[in-house]
Amino acid sequence: LQKIEKLVADGAVILGPQPSRSPSMQNYPAADKQIQDLAGKMWGDLSAKQRNYGKGMILTDMSMQEAFDLLKLSPDCGFAAGDSLLYAHRTLDGNEIYFVTNQTDKQLQCNPRFRVKGMQPELWDAVTGKTRTLPAFEQNGEITSVPLLLEAYESAFVVFRKPGKPSTSQLAANYPQPTVIGEIGTPWKVSFESDEVKRGPAEPVTFEQLSDWTTNNDDRIKYYSGTAVYKNTFAVKEQTKGKLYLDLGKVGVSAKVKVNDRYVGGVWTAPYRVDITEFVKQGDNQLEIEVVNTWVNRLIGDMRLPEKDRRTWSHVNTWKVTDPLLPSGLAGPVKLLSIEY
């Protein structure tokens, strides 16, 4: 309490009830008398919710939010009620770095309020490492509000490192609406691994339409766990103004993409989208998508078989034959998008 008293006298603000005794039995009962005398000096009139003490202040009988309001202290990063967001913040060489993460399985439009003044927000993609300016934001005193659009479970860094002034507050300026160039609706040739464990079809299978493996009538595909390679072609007729993206729609659970035999990148989080601007050519383009799922569906499928026919096992297997299968494969739709930032 002596240390706390010095902190408050030097300018700290504390919130809490007046202590009445020492938590230790050392020097009992003299220690309790010391606590009571010093606390009485500090807290004084117990009916007062706030009391100036030295250069600081002592608050009691109020919530933390009431204390912040009294001190006119804005949250370091504030969200609207109901927004399932978490954040972390650090300051590095005068740069303010916020990490914001959507905690839901739904797309989330939000407007975080950062305790930053007079600086330009930038979006640093936590998955790809790419960065871009966020032109839309509002400045209100010490607070900068930035409209964000986060996909399911998406994370992003919002970085402030340069001076800036707001020009608009419209979400569309930060997240331009994609233009759909086309959808790949032609049949897909899909190759599975057919060894004795993964037991996929030995010959390539034609998917007239993309669908979840678990909805397939062929048990070799329905309970398949492993890698499958999808092949198709698409045409690009003319140069687009913005960046050209390949949007895979729904993927269970991750994929790697090649365009014209060149590796473009991998996807494992929403949005399942890769930048193919530098890899396409006008005319026909070759597309290869390698998709992999987990072992869960194979484990569940094997439990339907006699024990001697099962090819998978686990030291701890919590799955049951009645458990639902996990979404797997490329469900699409696969689209070509143009986005002009």
Side-chain angles (χ1 to χ4, degrees):
L1 188 61
Q2 290 173 340
K3 293 291 187 182
I4 293 173
E5 190 272 341
K6 186 176 187 308
L7 284 171
V8 177
D10 290 342
V13 178
I14 63 170
L15 168 63
Q18 176 178 332
S20 60
R21 59 186 176 84
S22 169
S24 167
M25 292 301 292
Q26 187 175 14
N27 297 327
Y28 174 84
D32 285 358
K33 181 66 168 58
Q34 285 182 286
I35 294 291
Q36 292 159 9
D37 290 345
L38 183 53
K41 174 186 173 185
M42 294 172 64
W43 268 260
D45 184 0
L46 292 179
S47 65
K49 286 190 174 185
Q50 67 181 86
R51 183 169 189 254
N52 294 325
Y53 187 87
K55 297 178 181 179
M57 187 183 298
I58 297 173
L59 309 177
T60 190
D61 195 24
M62 66 176 67
S63 68
M64 188 74 79
Q65 187 58 55
E66 288 175 317
F68 287 149
D69 292 343
L70 177 69
L71 299 173
K72 295 181 171 56
L73 183 62
S74 301
D76 180 37
C77 183
F79 306 119
D83 281 352
S84 295
L85 292 163
L86 292 178
Y87 89 98
H89 174 212
R90 68 180 297 201
T91 301
L92 182 64
D93 297 332
N95 304 315
E96 304 300 334
I97 304 168
Y98 288 85
F99 180 73
V100 183
T101 169
N102 177 9
Q103 295 291 294
T104 74
D105 61 356
K106 302 289 190 300
Q107 186 188 73
L108 178 64
Q109 181 178 331
C110 54
N111 201 26
R113 301 177 300 277
F114 303 99
R115 197 163 64 203
V116 175
K117 179 180 180 181
M119 300 183 77
Q120 171 69 55
E122 300 172 1
L123 186 75
W124 291 30
D125 192 304
V127 175
T128 66
K130 294 184 177 181
T131 67
R132 61 183 177 89
T133 297
L134 296 173
F137 63 100
E138 288 184 339
Q139 185 74 56
N140 184 10
E142 301 294 320
I143 302 299
T144 299
S145 301
V146 184
L148 298 179
L149 186 66
L150 297 174
E151 297 292 338
Y153 301 119
E154 184 179 7
S155 302
F157 290 96
V158 179
V159 179
F160 299 86
R161 61 192 182 107
K162 302 175 183 177
K165 294 182 179 180
S167 58
T168 178
S169 60
Q170 300 300 312
L171 176 70
N174 289 345
Y175 296 87
Q177 188 69 25
T179 300
V180 179
I181 304 299
E183 182 175 331
I184 303 177
T186 53
W188 295 77
K189 194 74 74 177
V190 186
S191 299
F192 294 85
E193 296 174 283
S194 59
D195 60 38
E196 64 174 11
V197 175
K198 295 170 184 174
R199 288 174 291 187
E203 299 297 326
V205 178
T206 298
F207 279 47
E208 296 294 336
Q209 292 182 326
L210 292 173
S211 60
D212 190 319
W213 295 343
T214 63
T215 64
N216 202 287
N217 293 326
D218 187 338
D219 283 356
R220 297 175 301 173
I221 298 175
K222 182 175 183 177
Y223 298 107
Y224 181 79
S225 286
T227 302
V229 178
Y230 291 71
K231 291 186 178 181
N232 212 327
T233 62
F234 65 92
V236 175
K237 296 181 180 179
E238 57 186 26
Q239 188 78 23
T240 59
K241 288 184 179 180
K243 294 281 189 179
L244 187 63
Y245 289 85
L246 185 74
D247 191 304
L248 304 186
K250 294 181 180 179
V251 178
V253 291
S254 63
K256 292 181 178 180
V257 180
K258 285 184 179 179
V259 174
N260 298 322
D261 293 324
R262 298 169 63 194
Y263 177 64
V264 173
V267 292
W268 52 278
T269 62
Y272 295 92
R273 184 182 296 168
V274 288
D275 184 349
I276 61 173
T277 309
E278 305 299 325
F279 300 88
V280 298
K281 61 184 180 181
Q282 288 196 3
D284 291 337
N285 293 265
Q286 301 296 318
L287 176 61
E288 181 179 302
I289 304 173
E290 182 182 288
V291 179
V292 64
N293 67 340
T294 70
W295 275 105
V296 172
N297 291 350
R298 180 74 273 161
L299 289 168
I300 294 174
D302 271 11
M303 282 187 280
R304 299 167 55 255
L305 305 174
E307 190 169 351
K308 64 182 179 61
D309 295 330
R310 299 174 188 176
R311 295 292 181 266
T312 56
W313 58 274
S314 173
H315 288 295
V316 179
N317 185 1
T318 60
W319 303 98
K320 302 184 294 294
V321 70
T322 55
D323 286 336
L325 300 176
L326 299 187
S328 296
L330 179 61
V334 178
K335 297 179 180 180
L336 294 172
L337 306 178
S338 175
I339 304 178
E340 189 173 0
Y341 290 112

